[in-house]
Amino acid sequence: MSISPRKDGIAAGRLAADQLAQNFTDLHPPLEPHEAHVAADRCYFCHDAPCMEACPTSIDIPLFIRQIATDTPEAAAKTIFEQNILGGMCARVCPTETLCEEVCVREVAEGKPVEIGRLQRYATDRMMAKDVHPFDRAAPTGKRVAVVGAGPAGLACAHRLAMKGHDVVIHDARAKPGGLNEYGIASYKSTDSFAQAEVDWLMRIGGITMKTGSVLGRDVTLEDLSAGYDAVFLGMGLAGVNALGLDGDGREGVADAVDFIAELRQAEDLAALPIGRDVVVIGGGMTAVDAAVQSRLLGAQSVTIAYRRGQDRMAASVYEQELATAKGVRILTNVQPKALHGNGRLEAVEFEYTEDRDGKLTGTGETVVIAADQCFRAIGQTLSGAPEGLEIAGGKIAVTGAGRTSVQGVWAGGDCASGGDDLTVTAVAEGRDAAEDIHATLTGTAG
Ligand code: SF4
C-alpha cells in the first residue's frame, strides 16, 4: 500500500481517491452463477445437518443449497428469508467460520467447508436484484405494535408482525434506519448502500411505519407506547460506550471506535476523512478489528490492536484476526492501557503487560509505550437510557422465553436484552421469535 503524502498527526487525504475506492471494495465479491453451482455441488445435503443446527436462525441450509444446485435461486432465497428476513446482510457479516461453516462436514473431513455464507448471498442477492418481495401480508388484525430500534432485532420483529397482519410503528433514534447494519460495521462488508436497500426491500411487506429521529425517553416514553399500542418490542441496542478510566480520555485524538466506524460509513468522501498516522485500537472484539482494518485502509502507517488478555480470548473470530494481520495491523496481547501521553494532543499510549494469575487478570508492572496520534476505544458497549421499571440483568434488559421482559406487554431482543451472543444473526432470531410470541399473545393462542 503506497502512502502519500506522509503527514504527522490526524490528517485527511492520506491516500488518493482511487486507492481508497480500491481499498473499500466488497470484502467477498459475489459468486458468479457457475461458481455458485460448483460451490453448491460440494454440499452432501446432510440429514440432521450440523450447519443448520449451528445457525442461530435455523435456516434450512441443505435445502437452500439444493435449490441453488437445481438452478432455482429465488426458491433458495425464500427458504432463507422464511427464517431470516435479513439473510442478505447476514450473508455478508455473519462469522460463518464459527457458526455453520465451522461444523460443516466438509470442514471437519477436509478442512474446507461448503461456502454457505457466499451461497446465501448469491441466492438473496438474486431475489433482491429482481426487486421481488417473497411474502404477502395477512389480513389486518387491527392490532398495533410499537418497536423501538430499527436495527436487526427491531426490523426482524417488525417484519414478522407485519406479515401476520399487525400494524407496526418503528421508532429509531438515528437519522437512518438499520442500526448496526447502517452505522456499526466496516464499510467493506456492506458496500453500495446495501443496508439501506435491504430496509427498503423489507418494508415492502407493508404495514410498517418508520419514525427516525425518535428517541426513547426524549420524544416518546415506554409509558406512552404501552398505553398507545397493544404490545411493545424494545430492540434499541447498546448506545453507551465504556470509558478507559484514564486521565486524558478526552484528549484530542482519543475517540470511540463506534463513532469512527459510523462516521466512516456515512462519509461521502473517504479522502476527506481524517485518520492518524499511528493508530492504536484498544479492545479485542469485532469493533476493534473493524476500526483497526479501516484505519489501515484509510492510510494509517501503523495500526496496533491492543488487547488485555491472550489472543485466544479475543472476541473477534480467528478469521477477523487474520484479516487484520493480513491488512498490516499488529495485534499486541496481554497489555492493558495505563496512560495516555501527550501535551493536549495524543502522542503515545502506555500499556502495562498483564498475566493471568489464578484466573485473575493482573498487571506485571512492566510497561511498553506505543507512539500514537490517534487512539480508538473499543472496550464494549453498554445499555443506555433503559426505561425505568424494567428489570435489568447483567447490565441488560432481563428477558425470559421469547424476549418477555418483567413488564407485561413489553418484549425485548437483540443486544439490549439479556442472553444470546451480540451478533446480527442472533438479534434477527430474537426479534423474529419475540414477534411470534407477541402474535400468539395478541391473538390469544399463546401457550
Ligand atoms: Fe452441506 Fe456442509 Fe451443511 Fe452438510 S454440513 S448440509 S455438507 S453445508
Side-chain angles (χ1 to χ4, degrees), residues 43-46 49-51 61-62 65 103-106 114 116:
C43 180
Y44 289 144
F45 311 118
C46 308
C51 54
I61 293 167
I65 294 180
V103 298
C104 171
V105 296
R106 284 281 203 172
V114 174
I116 302 168

Side-chain angles (χ1 to χ4, degrees), residues 19-359:
Q19 176 76 63
L20 286 167
Q22 194 181 320
N23 286 356
F24 283 89
T25 51
D26 214 328
L27 182 61
H28 300 294
L31 293 172
E32 294 295 329
H34 70 279
E35 294 174 312
H37 279 108
V38 171
D41 280 344
R42 290 190 66 238
C43 180
Y44 289 144
F45 311 118
C46 308
H47 185 63
D48 289 335
C51 54
M52 196 172 154
E53 289 289 312
C55 174
T57 53
S58 307
I59 292 171
D60 192 337
I61 293 167
L63 175 60
F64 94 68
I65 294 180
R66 190 186 291 277
Q67 289 165 323
I68 292 173
T70 54
D71 214 15
T72 51
E74 278 89 22
K78 190 165 184 198
T79 301
I80 295 161
F81 290 134
E82 271 164 3
Q83 295 297 331
N84 182 342
I85 197 64
L86 297 179
M89 182 58 85
C90 288
R92 289 161 167 78
V93 303
C94 251
T96 49
E97 65 282 355
T98 60
L99 296 169
C100 53
E101 291 180 14
E102 184 180 46
V103 298
C104 171
V105 296
R106 284 281 203 172
E107 166 67 24
V108 177
E110 301 160 32
K112 188 173 185 303
V114 174
E115 292 182 284
I116 302 168
R118 294 185 81 192
L119 285 167
Q120 178 165 318
R121 174 165 175 188
Y122 173 77
T124 51
D125 278 3
R126 291 281 290 241
M127 178 178 275
M128 291 171 78
K130 287 196 171 165
D131 213 14
V132 172
H133 191 89
F135 304 110
D136 293 321
R137 185 161 143 76
T141 61
K143 303 286 186 191
R144 299 177 71 236
V145 182
V147 169
V148 179
L155 290 170
C157 183
H159 184 273
R160 184 57 62 108
L161 288 165
M163 250 175 85
K164 291 183 180 290
H166 307 300
D167 285 328
V168 184
V169 178
I170 305 181
H171 295 263
D172 192 275
R174 302 258 205 175
K176 289 187 196 171
L180 284 183
N181 291 353
E182 176 60 39
Y183 292 97
I185 54 169
S187 289
Y188 49 79
K189 293 179 185 168
S190 173
T191 54
D192 301 325
S193 303
F194 179 77
Q196 221 42 68
E198 188 176 48
V199 174
D200 294 344
W201 174 85
L202 178 149
M203 296 276 287
R204 286 184 46 186
I205 188 70
I208 304 174
T209 304
M210 184 71 71
K211 290 193 175 175
T212 52
S214 178
V215 179
L216 185 66
R218 187 192 71 185
D219 306 305
V220 67
T221 66
L222 182 58
E223 223 175 16
D224 299 334
L225 297 177
S226 292
Y229 294 83
D230 298 291
V232 179
F233 175 79
L234 301 174
M236 65 276 209
L238 301 172
V241 283
N242 287 320
L244 293 174
L246 299 174
D247 284 346
D249 220 350
R251 178 168 283 144
E252 189 190 330
V254 183
D256 290 316
V258 288
D259 291 341
F260 166 62
I261 292 168
E263 192 183 356
L264 199 151
R265 277 297 295 280
Q266 301 305 312
E268 305 241 320
D269 176 11
L270 290 176
L273 202 63
I275 191 71
R277 188 180 66 186
D278 302 304
V279 176
V280 167
V281 183
I282 300 174
M286 301 276 250
T287 301
V289 171
D290 281 0
V293 170
Q294 295 193 113
S295 298
R296 274 291 289 162
L297 298 179
L298 282 173
Q301 191 172 39
S302 80
V303 180
T304 304
I305 289 177
Y307 177 56
R308 63 197 176 125
R309 296 185 188 275
Q311 194 158 344
D312 58 328
R313 299 282 300 275
M314 286 176 71
S317 67
V318 172
Y319 171 81
E320 292 279 338
Q321 293 172 33
E322 288 174 355
L323 173 72
T325 50
K327 297 291 182 192
V329 173
R330 177 170 70 135
I331 299 179
L332 186 64
T333 56
N334 294 107
V335 289
Q336 61 189 8
K338 197 168 158 39
L340 299 161
H341 295 295
N343 193 4
R345 206 177 72 176
L346 183 71
E347 288 169 14
V349 185
E350 184 176 351
F351 292 92
E352 180 181 20
Y353 284 100
T354 64
E355 60 186 17
D356 207 332
R357 280 192 209 140
D358 303 323

